[in-house]
Amino acid sequence: MNNRDPKPKVKAGKRIYIISLGSLILGVFFICWALIHIQAQAVPAVYNGDNDLPPIQVDQQKGVKGSTVVPVEAGGSISTPQHDDILYPIRPLEGDVIGKLSIPALQQILPIIHGTDEDELEQGIGHFSQSVLPGENNNSVLSGHRDTVFAKLGELEIGNKLVVETSAGTFTYKISAIRIVHKDDKTIIVPTDHAVLTVITCYPFRFIGAAPDRYILIADLIDKVRSPQT
């Protein structure tokens, strides 16, 4: 008769079970951490504090100085201009003055600076560097402070014109829609199938502190006169 004590076998089995369970838990934890890390890299936040731009989902792309990347939501596609349609052979760097915005209804002429950091917005209107430049097909986005350059933006109406002059030419847009959205709205800075100018500022205009909403003008390109250099 075998009188060996079965306890060592039981203890060994428990050890194997505990080690296997621990390995499984560590594996699940690592996979969750990796997924969170990948998501954070793929969808960076392009918004902070009381900036005049709402947050944007950028599909696997990050804006850098001089970048021509266009912000898109996941699944969107961006068409680049054909060679014969290139308006800007030399792309601007952030901080460059790229043109001016004329608002006839308000009798305003405002400088446009490439970039939307505070340094650019203190000088005039900021052009969101991850959107196309004025005159190009797709959604070109301008942003400005509600208490300076865009203090009278609320006086504009559908049908009013916005005229942008750059090195590429003169581009006339007509306001087709006016919207007020929450600052976290992600439906404004999206791809379009034609040339659009989107103008953004904080709202309400006289709100004290960080404004909760954004005032949006959407204007369609109705006329363009290209510069002889392009």
Side-chain angles (χ1 to χ4, degrees):
M1 172 181 280
N2 188 356
N3 294 323
R4 291 181 180 179
D5 188 357
K7 289 183 179 180
K9 292 184 178 180
V10 174
K11 291 181 179 179
K14 286 184 178 179
R15 290 194 194 98
I16 294 174
Y17 174 78
I18 292 172
I19 292 172
S20 299
L21 181 60
S23 299
L24 178 62
I25 293 173
L26 286 174
V28 172
F29 175 81
F30 178 79
I31 291 173
C32 292
W33 177 87
L35 290 173
I36 293 172
H37 181 72
I38 291 172
Q39 184 178 10
Q41 293 294 324
V43 187
V46 193
Y47 174 78
N48 186 17
D50 195 30
N51 194 348
D52 291 314
L53 285 173
I56 303 157
Q57 287 185 340
V58 182
D59 184 22
Q60 302 288 343
Q61 303 176 34
K62 293 182 179 180
V64 296
K65 285 188 179 297
S67 171
T68 59
V69 178
V70 179
V72 296
E73 296 204 357
S77 61
I78 298 298
S79 59
T80 55
Q82 298 298 320
H83 180 72
D84 293 340
D85 294 331
I86 294 177
L87 294 175
Y88 302 90
I90 300 176
R91 311 300 288 189
L93 298 176
E94 290 191 11
D96 290 347
V97 177
I98 63 172
K100 59 185 179 181
L101 172 67
S102 298
I103 310 177
L106 301 179
Q107 297 183 342
Q108 282 186 310
I109 300 177
L110 304 165
I112 303 173
I113 295 86
H114 191 58
T116 52
D117 289 337
E118 190 58 34
D119 289 343
E120 286 81 44
L121 295 178
E122 286 180 354
Q123 301 176 56
I125 299 171
H127 169 256
F128 183 53
S129 60
Q130 294 186 42
S131 69
V132 297
L133 292 166
E136 292 182 324
N137 284 332
N138 220 307
N139 191 359
S140 183
V141 181
L142 302 181
S143 174
H145 285 313
R146 59 193 162 107
D147 55 353
T148 56
V149 292
F150 285 157
K152 296 183 179 181
L153 207 65
E155 299 178 15
L156 295 178
E157 301 175 350
I158 292 177
N160 286 158
K161 294 180 180 179
L162 305 174
V163 183
V164 179
E165 295 181 52
T166 70
S167 61
T170 301
F171 307 98
T172 302
Y173 298 83
K174 185 168 69 173
I175 298 173
S176 58
I178 299 175
R179 294 181 61 188
I180 297 173
V181 301
H182 188 265
K183 66 178 182 179
D184 294 328
D185 189 278
K186 295 182 175 67
T187 65
I188 299 301
I189 304 179
V190 294
T192 57
D193 58 5
H194 61 289
V196 169
L197 187 70
T198 299
V199 180
I200 302 175
T201 194
C202 290
Y203 185 85
F205 290 102
R206 297 183 180 179
F207 190 86
I208 298 175
D213 299 321
R214 298 295 178 262
Y215 192 85
I216 313 293
L217 300 181
I218 300 172
D220 299 317
L221 182 67
I222 60 171
D223 184 54
K224 63 179 179 180
V225 179
R226 295 183 61 162
S227 170
Q229 288 79 11
T230 62

